[in-house]
């Protein structure tokens, strides 16, 4: 469960996020949709506490990200926009390192590792150094790393960027699996089709503000248009911007 | 905190150990090649200067018939004399063509002048711009003036005058340098090498663990783990320090083994670098690791990329060497106040060990404490730098 109230953040003279409020429920996939530079990543970064908001509040399972950032980080798994893995470590070692940082006991950690390797279909390359991994293999490692402590809330920042069709599909299945297990999944994207295909709830952000939110069907009926894409364009009030 | 430090340390250790290039540059190139190259060059130059004292200098003598006694004297002095015949032009040509380096020409008037009690002229030809030839000509000139001195002494005696009359003032040079202290002039470079190699040992890891982590995009996910950022950076400093300690141990062992092969004794020096001194050097330099690791981490954490970090760290490598250079120029002696300056204090302590000078035990204590204090301060600064939002770049 993620609750966001009037978050704002500026960098120098740029007001990246002006006023963003929304809620993402457990067992649902919530999509942050918006053109490049709309403030999606900045919002997520404030949620996973690498940035401090200028004003506003955010709670993860009731934990305030401002007063208890460590507690908030414990309850989330994050796949940031740049999710580099260590090329000299194997997939398993990459994931184990994060498990150790989460303070998992060795026994729990090794069991969880096996589970993740199995779930994400990584057994083929789990013990190879990550140096030669394909983009799809890398994203699996990064995702497994984010899920190693079995967080209830999962934050994904443009996870399908740079993925080929097969990897995108695999990722989509994973996200649906998380939803089925009752996780709260929040992910950002600028690709409308992707959001439409996956999300139960959509939050459209533009120029650092939430301009519209609701279910895909709800948005389409509110703004009309023959398709969801039409509806997006009308929401944003300009024909360009969305891919 | 301990768990985090251990996890970060192990990860940095694994990454570095598996990177052959990193290992090569931090633990092979530095600790092995730097001292070996320095001591190798030293050995070469010592061998050369030693052999130039012993060698029989070849000298060609023209007009040797006019001065058989002088020729005999030169031979007794260990010069390899060959008798030749030639004019001034011939002699210049020989030297120009490299046939001869030093040529002594004895004019026809030599015998007459000598018999008449007048200064007898001999000419010594050599190329003054050629260091080696000039040194050899010097030996020849010294031999000739020795001959001249002994003739003069005989003449004075023949006239009933003591040759001592001609010596109004006599200089006796007394060299008070002990063999070990003379060697230190040469071995002074060694403390510089020890400090530099120690720094180099942790440099790769310091860059990779901070600037490299950011450049690969692995820093942001790392910061989403539920551990304080300071603990992450402390773990990285620790890993960097570990490789510095290994480099330091390797370089002291390399020097201790290699210095025995340097023929210092042949020029009256002794290399005071046994196992005990090596261990003392290691211990005295150990606190410097704290400063080195944290300093490199601080610099690497405010640079944006690997390349930028490398550029800056190149400059940083010079910083600890500055006090040493100043100390060398001004010939600074160890004092309690100077022990407060990290890197300089290590340099002075190492010099003390090499010279077998007993420095007060308090000096080592002051050096250790002040260096560790600076290391702690820099580690704290590194932690602060990691708290900034800008760290993500």
């Amino acid at each position: 469960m993620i609750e966001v109230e009037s978050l704002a953040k500026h960098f120098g003279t740029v007001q990246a996020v002006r006023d963003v409020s929304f809620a993402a429920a457990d067992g649902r996939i919530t999509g942050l949709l918006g053109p490049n530079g709309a403030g999606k990543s900045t919002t997520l970064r404030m949620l996973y506490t690498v940035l401090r908001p200028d004003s506003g509040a955010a709670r993860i399972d009731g934990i305030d990200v401002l007063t208890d950032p460590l507690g908030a980080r414990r309850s989330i798994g994050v796949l940031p926009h740049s999710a580099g893995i260590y090329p000299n470590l194997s997939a398993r070692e990459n994931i184990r390192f994060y498990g150790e940082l989460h303070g998992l006991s060795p026994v729990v950690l090794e069991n969880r590792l096996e589970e993740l390797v199995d779930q994400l279909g990584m057994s083929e390359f789990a013990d190879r150094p990550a140096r030669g991994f394909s983009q799809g293999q890398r994203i699996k490692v990064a995702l497994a790393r984010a899920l190693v402590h079995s967080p209830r809330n999962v934050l994904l920042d443009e996870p399908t960027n740079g993925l080929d069709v097969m990897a995108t599909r695999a990722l989509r299945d994973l996200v649906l699996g998380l939803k089925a297990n009752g996780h709260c999944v929040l992910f950002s994207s600028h690709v409308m089709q992707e959001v439409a295909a996956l999300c139960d709830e959509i939050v459209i952000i533009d120029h650092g503000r939430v301009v519209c939110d609701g279910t895909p069907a709800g948005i389409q009926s509110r703004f009309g248009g023959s398709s969801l894409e039409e509806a997006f364009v009308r929401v944003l009030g300009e024909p360009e911007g969305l891919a | 905190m301990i768990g985090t430090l251990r996890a970060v340390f192990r990860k940095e250790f694994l990454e570095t150990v598996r990177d052959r290039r990193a290992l090569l540059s931090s633990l092979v190139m530095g600790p092995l090649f730097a001292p070996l190259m320095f001591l190798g060059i030293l050995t070469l130059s010592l061998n050369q200067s030693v052999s130039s004292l012993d060698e029989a200098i070849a000298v060609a003598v023209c007009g040797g018939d006019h001065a058989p006694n002088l020729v005999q004297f030169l031979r007794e002095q260990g010069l390899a004399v060959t008798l030749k015949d030639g004019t001034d032009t011939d002699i210049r040509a020989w030297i120009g063509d490299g046939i001869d380096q030093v040529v002594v020409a004895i004019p026809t008037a030599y015998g007459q002048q000598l018999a008449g009690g007048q200064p007898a002229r001999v000419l010594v030809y050599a190329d003054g711009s050629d260091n080696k030839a000039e040194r050899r000509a010097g030996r020849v000139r010294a031999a000739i003036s020795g001959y001249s001195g002994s003739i003069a002494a005989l003449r004075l005696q023949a006239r009933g005058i003591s040759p001592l009359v001609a010596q109004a003032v006599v200089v006796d040079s007394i060299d008070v340098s002990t063999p070990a202290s003379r060697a230190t002039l040469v071995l002074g470079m060694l403390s510089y090498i020890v400090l530099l190699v120690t720094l180099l040992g942790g440099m790769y890891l310091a860059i990779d663990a901070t600037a490299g982590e950011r450049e690969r995009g692995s820093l942001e996910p790392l910061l989403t783990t539920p551990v304080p950022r300071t603990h992450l950076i402390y773990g990285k400093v620790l890993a960097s320090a570990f490789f510095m300690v290994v480099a330091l141990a390797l370089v002291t062992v390399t020097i201790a083994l290699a210095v025995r092969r340097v023929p210092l004794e042949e020029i009256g020096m002794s290399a005071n670098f046994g196992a005990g001194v090596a261990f003392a050097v290691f211990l005295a330099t150990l606190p410097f690791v704290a400063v080195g690791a944290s300093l490199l981490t601080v610099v690497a954490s405010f640079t944006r990329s690997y390349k930028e970090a490398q550029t800056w760290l190149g400059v940083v490598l010079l910083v600890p060497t500055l006090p040493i250079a100043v100390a060398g120029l001004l010939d600074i002696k160890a004092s309690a106040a100077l022990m407060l300056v990290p890197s300089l204090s290590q340099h002075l302590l190492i010099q003390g060990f090499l010279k077998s000078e007993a420095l007060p035990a308090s000096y080592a204590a002051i050096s250790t404490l002040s260096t560790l204090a600076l290391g702690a301060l820099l580690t704290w600064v590194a932690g602060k730098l990691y708290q900034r939002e800008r760290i993500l770049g």
Side-chain angles (χ1 to χ4, degrees):
Chain A
M1 176 75 179
I2 297 170
E3 296 155 289
V4 178
E5 279 169 31
S6 319
L7 281 184
K9 178 76 184 174
H10 77 282
F11 302 106
T13 57
V14 181
Q15 192 70 40
V17 172
R18 290 162 205 273
D19 182 10
V20 169
S21 306
F22 64 87
D26 289 347
R28 289 178 84 76
I29 301 171
T30 308
L32 285 183
L33 182 67
N36 291 323
K40 304 183 298 287
S41 284
T42 307
T43 303
L44 285 178
R45 279 175 154 190
M46 286 189 278
L47 284 177
Y48 58 72
T49 75
V50 298
L51 293 182
R52 221 182 138 76
D54 298 337
S55 62
R59 280 178 301 278
I60 291 163
D61 288 341
I63 302 168
D64 194 317
V65 298
L66 275 169
T67 53
D68 185 9
L70 289 188
R73 275 187 250 161
R74 238 172 251 128
S75 3
I76 54 175
V78 184
L79 186 70
H81 189 56
S82 58
I85 56 177
Y86 303 111
N88 287 334
L89 302 187
S90 71
R92 221 182 273 271
E93 285 164 339
N94 265 292
I95 303 163
R96 191 180 288 129
F97 174 49
Y98 273 60
E100 287 166 354
L101 290 180
H102 276 284
L104 301 184
S105 75
V107 180
V108 173
L109 177 53
E110 291 311 310
N111 286 338
R112 179 70 182 146
L113 251 172
E114 285 319 307
E115 211 174 281
L116 286 167
V117 166
D118 198 45
Q119 254 177 30
L120 299 178
M122 299 195 293
S123 51
E124 248 176 79
F125 57 90
D127 293 307
R128 288 214 316 257
R131 184 173 300 285
F133 282 10
S134 71
Q135 187 65 25
Q137 290 169 327
R138 271 204 287 270
I139 207 94
K140 280 183 178 179
V141 176
L143 195 63
R145 184 171 74 176
L147 300 176
V148 70
H149 56 299
S150 318
R152 287 216 49 79
N153 308 280
V154 181
L155 275 59
L156 313 165
D157 194 0
E158 311 243 4
T160 54
N161 248 11
L163 292 190
D164 62 17
V165 183
M166 290 311 288
T168 307
R169 250 186 129 160
L171 186 86
R172 200 181 300 153
D173 291 342
L174 286 171
V175 171
L176 288 171
L178 289 172
K179 173 193 168 184
N181 284 328
H183 289 276
C184 166
V185 181
L186 176 63
F187 89 91
S188 76
S189 177
H190 62 269
V191 184
M192 193 271 309
Q193 290 86 346
E194 189 177 282
V195 174
L198 265 179
C199 294
D200 305 305
E201 297 279 339
I202 298 176
V203 179
I204 302 178
I205 298 182
D206 191 29
H207 293 104
R209 285 180 213 281
V210 175
V211 287
C212 173
D213 63 352
T215 60
I219 291 176
Q220 198 180 335
S221 69
R222 217 180 324 159
F223 289 90
S226 54
S227 67
L228 199 57
E229 187 172 329
E230 278 293 304
F232 281 132
V233 172
R234 289 189 191 185
V235 170
L236 296 175
E238 51 192 64
E240 77 271 25
L242 289 177
Chain B
M1 176 165 177
I2 300 294
T4 306
L5 292 186
R6 195 167 48 210
V8 174
F9 181 90
R10 185 160 34 189
K11 174 239 156 193
E12 300 294 350
F13 176 81
L14 270 182
E15 270 204 297
T16 310
V17 165
R18 287 185 190 163
D19 191 331
R20 223 170 272 170
R21 213 167 33 129
L23 270 192
L24 203 70
S25 78
S26 58
L27 296 186
V28 179
M29 298 308 263
L32 288 181
F33 287 151
L36 287 185
M37 235 165 76
F38 169 68
L39 292 174
I41 291 170
L42 184 62
T43 307
L44 218 65
S45 70
L46 284 181
N47 279 339
Q48 198 141 39
S49 64
V50 169
S51 60
S52 67
L53 281 175
D54 297 341
E55 73 185 337
I57 291 173
V59 54
V61 178
C62 292
D65 302 346
H66 310 309
N69 288 337
L70 175 56
V71 170
Q72 183 58 33
F73 184 84
L74 291 181
R75 286 201 166 118
E76 281 164 11
Q77 294 297 303
L79 302 180
V81 176
T82 42
L83 296 174
K84 283 191 167 180
D85 260 324
T87 63
D88 176 78
T89 330
D90 296 333
I91 294 171
R92 285 173 193 275
W94 295 338
I95 292 178
D97 296 342
I99 299 168
D100 287 300
Q101 277 193 316
V102 187
V103 181
V104 177
I106 300 170
T108 332
Y110 174 86
Q112 225 177 339
Q113 286 171 340
L114 199 65
Q118 288 170 335
R121 277 182 74 219
V122 298
L123 306 164
V124 178
Y125 290 82
D127 181 354
S129 65
D130 179 347
N131 269 337
K132 225 167 178 177
E134 184 51 36
R135 229 177 20 237
R136 288 175 177 167
R139 291 271 308 279
V140 173
R141 277 194 289 269
I144 294 174
S145 84
Y147 180 71
S148 160
S150 64
I151 300 275
L154 286 174
R155 283 179 181 166
L156 288 172
Q157 268 172 343
R159 287 165 176 75
I161 301 170
S162 163
L164 294 178
V165 170
Q167 297 180 3
V169 178
V170 180
V171 177
D172 261 345
S173 296
I174 299 164
D175 188 354
V176 294
S177 67
T178 61
S181 82
R182 239 174 297 155
T184 312
L185 291 176
V186 184
L187 298 177
M189 263 297 280
L190 286 180
S191 67
Y192 171 76
I193 289 178
V194 167
L195 292 176
L196 193 70
V197 164
T198 304
L199 276 178
L200 278 175
M203 186 168 99
Y204 181 88
L205 202 150
I207 299 180
D208 198 59
T210 49
E213 185 113 46
R214 182 167 32 214
E215 199 165 85
R216 284 196 305 257
S218 53
L219 183 62
E220 190 162 343
L222 185 60
L223 297 183
T224 67
T225 55
V227 289
R229 293 182 184 186
T230 45
H231 295 184
L232 294 174
I233 200 72
Y234 297 161
K236 288 171 184 292
V237 171
L238 216 59
S240 177
F242 171 78
F243 280 94
M244 286 191 176
V245 172
V246 175
L248 170 60
L250 284 176
V251 77
T252 41
V253 169
T254 309
I255 292 176
L257 292 179
V259 90
R260 290 182 206 170
R261 306 219 160 236
V262 181
L264 290 166
E265 289 74 14
E266 293 193 32
I267 51 167
M269 298 179 176
S270 81
N272 184 22
F273 210 103
V277 171
F279 190 60
V281 167
F282 175 78
L283 282 186
T285 316
L286 206 51
F288 181 71
V289 165
V291 170
S294 53
L295 180 67
L296 295 179
T297 306
V298 163
V299 173
S301 65
F302 68 71
T303 52
R304 242 164 269 249
S305 67
Y306 211 96
K307 263 221 164 99
E308 198 187 339
Q310 264 177 331
T311 313
W312 274 102
L313 288 183
V315 179
V316 170
L317 283 183
L318 293 177
V319 172
T321 60
L322 265 181
I324 298 178
V326 172
L329 285 176
L330 303 179
D331 193 23
I332 289 175
K333 292 270 175 277
S335 72
L338 290 180
M339 287 299 136
L340 290 170
V341 185
S343 98
L344 179 59
S345 69
Q346 276 81 32
H347 169 72
L348 292 172
L349 285 175
I350 294 174
Q351 294 297 298
F353 296 136
L354 293 177
K355 285 189 210 174
S356 314
E357 270 175 17
L359 294 175
S362 63
Y363 280 20
I366 296 171
S367 161
T368 303
L369 289 179
S370 66
T371 306
L372 285 180
L374 181 64
L377 177 71
L378 285 170
T379 307
W380 179 79
V381 169
K384 279 282 158 207
L385 285 172
Y386 254 64
Q387 304 282 10
R388 303 177 313 160
E389 289 183 349
R390 287 232 320 265
I391 197 75
L392 287 174

